[in-house]
Amino acid sequence: MTYIVTLIPGDGIGPELSEATVGVLEATGIGFAWEVQQAGEATIASEGTPLPERVVESIRRNGVAIKGPITTPVGTGFRSVNVGLRLALELYANVRPARSMVGVESRYTDVDLIIVRENTEDLYAGVEHRVGPDAAESIKIITRAASQRIARYAFEYALRNGRRKVTAVHKANIMKLSDGLFLESCGQVAAEYAGRVEFEDRIVDNMCMQLVQKPERYDVLVLPNLYGDIVSDLAAGLVGGLGVAPGSNIGETAAVFEAVHGSAPKYAGQNRANPTALILSSALMLRHLGETAAADRVESAVRSVIADGRVTTHDLGGRAGTREFASAVAERVRGT
Ligand code: NAD
């Protein structure tokens, strides 16, 4: 069986990381056919848009994509490709695991969080306008349908993966209507899972403090879009930074796997960036495809190469390049 996967190399460090990730995936022995689709800075000049329709069509056709980071040019009027893809393909769940790793320096050793971020509405719906020359409004959209859908995803994820608790994160004390509706919707869904998965809620500012003080108390977090974006970077910081934080964007009919980090232009083309986050994102893709054993092999290969400490990238205090690290991981995948 060969999986046809859309591969978007992306901008900045994206092409190097994509190449590294393809090498590791091919080491699993599973058959892949890569449908390479350029998007981002390169296609603005050649096709007049950073997100040509053919890219969306390719993902629709194949159902899965691996995506390198894409630069969002400031002030050009183009919408973020990342946000555009999530909306075009209705990738409503952004799932970002944050798990401590031996060999990655951090203040904690026992973090194991799953951030489930609603990906289609809130302040990212893109409804904003100027109100005269000196004021602007961005509209925060929260619906019961999207809130229940993301809450259900979080609870189903918890059940499937043996997780014990879901925490809904909000600011319903201030945004009583919008965040109030999010919280109410999560509570309604939680009632269906009573006795199987615990439920609690936290106000987002308190949540940030709690995560920094006692991250081990939390398990699966479910959040509206903006808080999810911010808290997932905080969670990445708890386990050693953006270089090791994977992610996935899941919809009913398509899924896009990408690192939490951006295109880090200062490291582009230098064989210096850490491919761990994209490689771990590709392991999430293997899991999504039902290739659980291969996903376990890729994850444990990454973990053991990093734990050994002989071949690690600069951000983790090592001297290996992107390619050398990826080769070491691929070799270990082949050997398991
Ligand atoms: P960034 O994640 O690119 O970089 C933040 C810091 O982390 C920098 O110091 C960078 O060098 C470092 N870093 C990031 N990834 C790394 C890796 N794999 N290995 C080693 N170090 C790494 O964030 P930014 O600088 O705010 O954004 C740069 C561009 O990326 C912007 O245009 C932004 O819009 C875009 N972006 C894209 C995505 C995406 O495609 N999903 C996500 C975030 C940001």
Side-chain angles (χ1 to χ4, degrees), residues 23 62 107 245 258-259:
N62 299 328
R107 289 170 189 269
E258 63 176 341

Side-chain angles (χ1 to χ4, degrees), residues 290-322:
E291 298 286 355
T292 313
D296 290 344
R297 277 163 65 209
V298 169
E299 281 171 4
S300 67
V302 168
R303 285 178 170 270
S304 74
V305 170
I306 291 177
D308 282 358
R310 287 193 304 274
V311 186
T312 56
T313 45
H314 295 260
D315 58 317
L316 301 186
R319 301 225 301 259
T322 310

